[in-house]
Amino acid sequence: MKKIKAFAVKRPYLFGLLLIVFYSILGTLTYPTNFLFKENRVGETWASALGKLIIFLVFFAVLWGFGFFKKSGFTTLGKGKCWLLVLGLLAYLVVLELFAFTGDLRFSIEYPRLVQATLAETLAGSLVKETMIRGLLLSVMLAAWGETKKGIIKAVILSSTIFGVIHLFNLIARPPAVVLLQTIVVMLPGILYAVLLLKSKSIYPAIVIHWLTN
C-alpha cells in the first residue's frame, strides 16, 4: 500500500485516471450481485445498490490504507453553516428538478418499492464517488501539491474533471452528445462538493447533497 500511495502522490492526475479504470473493473466484478435479486426493475436496482456498496467498501479500504481517513473528512460531521448551505441548496434543487421533470410540485410515489431501491442505489453511488473523488483523490492531490491557495485550486479543479470523466460510462446507454454535455456540466457540482469538504472538514455534506440531487 505504501508503494501505491507513493505513486499516487507522485503522479496524482494519472492516479485519478487509473482510479476510473479500477472503478470500471470493480463494476464488472460486482455484476454477479444481479443474480441475488429478482429479474425486474426493483431487483436490478437493489443489485446495483449492493454492487456499489461493495465498491465503496473497496475504496474506503484504500483510503484507510493511505492514512487519509481523517483528512478525507470521515471523522467529523462538519460545521453548522455548511449544513445550512446544504439544506438551502437541497430545498432549491429539489423544487427546481421536480418541476423540471414533472411540471408539477407535488410528490407522487406510485411505486414505493422502486423508490426505496432507488434511494438505496443513489446513496451507494454517492458514497462510492465521494469516497473515490473527494475522499481519496482530492486528498492525494493536496498531498502532492500542498494545501496552499494554488495547490487547493488545482486539486479542486482537476479532481472535478476526473469526476466528470467518470460519467463517460453513460455512453453505454445514452447518446454521445448528451453524455458529453453531462460530463462537462457535472464538473461544476464536483467543485461545489470539494469546497464543501474543505470548508466543513467533513465529507458528509457532500455525500448528502450528491445523494439527494442524484
Side-chain angles (χ1 to χ4, degrees), residues 161-182:
T161 64
I162 294 291
F163 178 57
V165 170
I166 292 173
H167 292 79
L168 289 176
F169 286 114
N170 291 333
L171 285 168
I172 297 172
R174 297 182 181 180
V178 173
V179 174
L180 180 60
L181 179 61
Q182 183 189 38

Side-chain angles (χ1 to χ4, degrees), residues 68-110:
F68 289 150
F69 182 65
K70 182 177 181 180
K71 188 174 183 178
S72 62
F74 273 101
T75 59
T76 177
L77 291 177
K79 299 177 181 178
K81 290 182 178 179
C82 286
W83 280 109
L84 287 175
L85 174 62
V86 167
L87 291 174
L89 284 172
L90 281 174
Y92 171 74
L93 290 172
V94 167
V95 171
L96 178 67
E97 292 185 10
L98 183 64
F99 186 76
F101 281 103
T102 67
D104 198 343
L105 293 179
R106 293 174 298 177
F107 283 94
S108 178
I109 302 176
E110 298 180 18

